Amino acid sequence: MSIWARISEALSALASGEGLTAVFDRLRTAPESSVAFTIAVIALGAKMAKADGQVTRDEVTAFREVFRIGDDDAQGAARVFNLARTDVAGFDDYARRIKGMFDDESPILGDLLEGLFHIAMADGIYHPNENAFLEEVAQIFAVPEGQFETLRARFVPNSSPLPHMVLGVPRDATKEEARAAWRKLVRANHPDALIARGLPEEAVKMAEKRMIDINRAWETISGKSI
């Protein structure tokens, strides 16, 4: 059963008058945590898409870039988007419920924040309200400030991230230290590793840009192609 079929099944179980947040309370543990993650990206993305006052076609299309959504599954994804957009619950309520689904050290919260940055920049504009939204979500998720700044530097135009920042090493790190950090990040972002930590297979594509940035950072530090 595809993740979208499982999402549709979860939505069909909603009682009359229940909101999308009720789904989160039923999907706290594996293997359904991947369903929760997918719904979370769409739900928070829908809330954020309204942060700048309008929901553009580009922002809706961005979901297809974060996830592999086939034509047969588009209706289910759209239903989640619309339920979240009209739900009376605020985005901070969604974020806190999502945070409660994962351990404090779970990297999946950083993955989710990265997906939100991708959606925020889908229309090419980084609105101040989107920045405030993402900062608050990052605080709720307890994402380290340095990780948030790295994501913002990678995604926001006219922000060229320092290669050491991308690799997570100090600026005075040796080439050997940078190489070790690069190799560790490559292993951590292998598709099998992403799926093992709870990222749904349909969202593995989200890591492609991350790997491009990681490899480019190492190229810059090493001074040669990898």
Side-chain angles (χ1 to χ4, degrees):
M1 181 183 295
S2 75
I3 197 165
W4 300 108
R6 288 153 62 198
I7 287 174
S8 295
E9 188 176 87
L11 293 180
S12 66
L14 286 173
S16 177
E18 282 188 310
L20 188 60
T21 49
V23 176
F24 297 138
D25 294 331
R26 300 170 185 156
L27 302 173
R28 293 185 179 277
T29 57
E32 296 308 314
S33 59
S34 62
V35 177
F37 176 88
T38 305
I39 292 175
V41 172
I42 297 175
L44 277 178
K47 293 289 187 182
M48 187 179 61
K50 295 175 62 177
D52 58 1
Q54 58 181 343
V55 180
T56 68
R57 182 182 297 273
D58 289 331
E59 288 169 325
V60 176
T61 301
F63 292 112
R64 285 183 176 268
E65 297 176 356
V66 174
F67 296 102
R68 292 193 295 270
I69 305 177
D71 291 338
D72 294 340
D73 300 316
Q75 186 175 356
R79 185 183 176 196
V80 175
F81 185 91
N82 289 326
L83 279 172
R85 188 172 56 181
T86 58
D87 198 303
V88 296
F91 76 88
D92 54 334
D93 184 33
Y94 276 95
R96 289 188 181 91
R97 287 172 183 264
I98 294 162
K99 174 65 168 64
M101 292 180 180
F102 303 100
D103 296 334
D104 289 341
E105 302 301 321
S106 175
I108 202 168
L109 294 171
D111 294 328
L112 174 48
L113 188 63
E114 183 172 358
L116 293 175
F117 263 103
H118 179 85
I119 293 165
M121 291 308 304
D123 58 1
I125 300 172
Y126 191 59
H127 194 278
N129 288 348
E130 291 174 324
N131 182 69
F133 179 105
L134 290 167
E135 284 185 337
E136 185 166 351
V137 170
Q139 289 177 359
I140 293 171
F141 285 176
V143 171
E145 183 177 354
Q147 184 178 351
F148 178 83
E149 293 298 335
T150 295
L151 285 171
R152 182 160 57 188
R154 281 177 47 210
F155 280 92
V156 178
N158 303 319
S159 296
S160 298
L162 295 172
H164 292 84
M165 181 183 292
V166 174
L167 297 183
V169 296
R171 296 189 66 175
D172 60 353
T174 65
K175 183 180 291 188
E176 289 71 22
E177 290 171 332
R179 185 198 305 273
W182 167 65
R183 287 178 171 171
K184 181 178 180 180
L185 287 170
V186 169
R187 289 194 300 269
N189 288 284
H190 187 278
D192 291 343
L194 296 175
I195 293 171
R197 74 190 193 206
L199 200 68
E201 184 178 352
E202 287 83 354
V204 170
K205 183 179 178 182
M206 188 172 65
E208 291 179 359
K209 182 181 187 304
R210 186 190 314 165
M211 283 303 305
I212 291 173
D213 292 338
I214 289 169
N215 286 329
R216 184 178 294 132
W218 169 240
E219 286 180 3
T220 301
I221 291 175
S222 66
K224 62 180 181 180
S225 298
I226 57 175

